[in-house]
Amino acid sequence: MMWNAEIYEKFGKERLQPSIDLVSRLTDRKFERILDAGCGTGMSTAALVSAFGDSEIIGVDLSEEMLAKARKNISQAIFIRRDCSQPLSDLGKFDLIFSNAFIQWLPDQKEFMEDSFRMLSEGGVFAAQIPLFGEMPANNCIVKAEELFADKIKGIEKSRFVLHTASEYYDMITSFTDKTTVWITEYVHEMKDYGELLNFLKGAALRPHLELLTGRTDREQFLNTVLENIRGVYPVEKNGKVLFPFRRLFLIGEN
């Protein structure tokens, strides 16, 4: 699957803040080696570099397009192309394994957590931020559009988000450690109009659909359907903007 790094970075401020918030809960610790799993364009890595500049920081991601951006923007970290759905144990032990808005793309997220805890040094920390997209009206808007275009997006279930609840993620991490910190934050993004909200979704949630819809007409019809669904659930505010609440789950577990 190919990421569009340009679209993803357009909303960098909105996507960066959760990384900063997660890192802020870790700054009372020191880490010699840090792994940023699913680092993308390096926005999360930048937050880690800012807080832990003396650490060895390695970012891994499957998208070469994303990694090219990361390497261009951040010189204080090493970036490696790897499939994080496969074991990464050959990279050695880490004191912090960090994952920002990534593991929802993995088919077996508990297995990823298990592998991560195996890679942690004694007293090491696993820290993740996960979008609770299944709880958002925007997800229903996309699902309804999928039903109308089922014949055009066959196999979409193999490439879209794998959605779990906060409770299910809590059960996952507590099967590996009883030293946990868990919280949820709802970020309210100001969108200038519905088109901007749709563009935000194109940066991640709609990526698998657009890859399967190879024809321009099919893509436009699908996006217009999602757009109409969005209009029905997100009201326009008095100043003409559209508020887009986005719920995110944070997990910290100590080995």
Side-chain angles (χ1 to χ4, degrees):
M1 280 180 253
M2 297 299 294
W3 281 90
N4 187 318
E6 200 169 307
I7 292 177
Y8 190 83
E9 282 200 315
K10 184 177 180 181
F11 297 96
K13 179 182 176 182
E14 290 84 355
R15 301 189 192 278
L16 176 59
Q17 190 60 50
S19 291
I20 295 172
D21 293 344
L22 183 54
V23 166
S24 71
R25 297 289 188 107
L26 304 168
T27 51
D28 60 335
R29 302 170 181 261
K30 290 188 179 296
F31 305 106
E32 288 188 18
R33 299 191 80 224
I34 299 173
L35 178 67
D36 187 5
C39 64
T41 60
M43 284 186 285
S44 53
T45 319
L48 290 166
V49 167
S50 178
F52 310 111
D54 294 332
S55 304
E56 178 188 0
I57 301 175
I58 298 174
V60 294
D61 200 277
L62 186 59
S63 169
E64 189 56 49
E65 182 187 5
M66 291 283 200
L67 290 171
K69 289 266 188 181
R71 293 186 186 108
K72 180 180 178 181
N73 296 329
I74 303 167
S75 60
Q76 303 96 318
I78 300 167
F79 294 99
I80 304 171
R81 186 174 186 268
R82 290 292 295 267
D83 182 352
C84 293
S85 68
Q86 303 300 315
L88 302 171
S89 55
D90 59 292
L91 297 176
K93 290 284 187 179
F94 291 88
D95 305 297
L96 171 63
I97 295 180
F98 191 90
S99 171
N100 181 67
F102 163 68
I103 70 173
Q104 71 274 10
W105 293 107
L106 299 175
D108 193 334
Q109 296 164 37
K110 186 175 181 179
E111 182 180 41
F112 172 78
M113 284 192 195
E114 184 175 11
D115 288 341
S116 295
F117 274 93
R118 285 199 194 104
M119 292 170 61
L120 286 175
S121 57
E122 186 174 350
V125 174
F126 174 84
Q129 181 272 121
I130 307 163
L132 293 176
F133 198 68
E135 301 179 7
M136 301 179 214
N139 181 59
N140 293 332
C141 293
I142 295 172
V143 170
K144 287 182 179 179
E146 287 177 358
E147 293 169 358
L148 295 176
F149 288 80
D151 59 326
K152 302 283 180 66
I153 53 173
K154 291 178 180 177
I156 188 64
E157 66 280 352
K158 296 179 182 178
S159 55
R160 62 168 301 177
F161 289 151
V162 178
L163 302 172
H164 297 292
T165 65
S167 176
E168 288 170 330
Y169 282 117
Y170 177 76
D171 287 341
M172 287 184 202
I173 196 169
T174 54
S175 66
F176 307 115
T177 178
D178 57 1
K179 300 175 184 177
T180 60
T181 303
V182 182
W183 74 97
I184 293 172
T185 300
E186 185 166 79
Y187 297 84
V188 181
H189 303 314
E190 281 186 322
M191 300 292 170
K192 66 180 182 181
D193 52 29
Y194 290 113
E196 186 171 51
L197 200 165
L198 184 67
N199 280 336
F200 182 96
L201 296 175
K202 284 164 67 177
L206 288 172
R207 175 180 60 86
H209 307 79
L210 298 181
E211 288 177 358
L212 289 172
L213 294 166
T214 54
R216 181 177 177 181
T217 301
D218 289 338
R219 280 189 172 203
E220 289 180 353
Q221 289 177 346
F222 180 79
L223 290 174
N224 285 336
T225 300
V226 175
L227 184 62
E228 286 307 307
N229 293 341
I230 286 171
R231 290 179 188 275
V233 295
Y234 293 99
V236 176
E237 304 300 323
K238 289 182 179 180
N239 64 357
K241 294 185 178 181
V242 179
L243 297 182
F244 181 37
F246 203 110
R247 290 170 62 81
R248 296 181 183 271
L249 172 71
F250 294 82
L251 301 172
I252 297 176
E254 185 176 328
N255 194 27

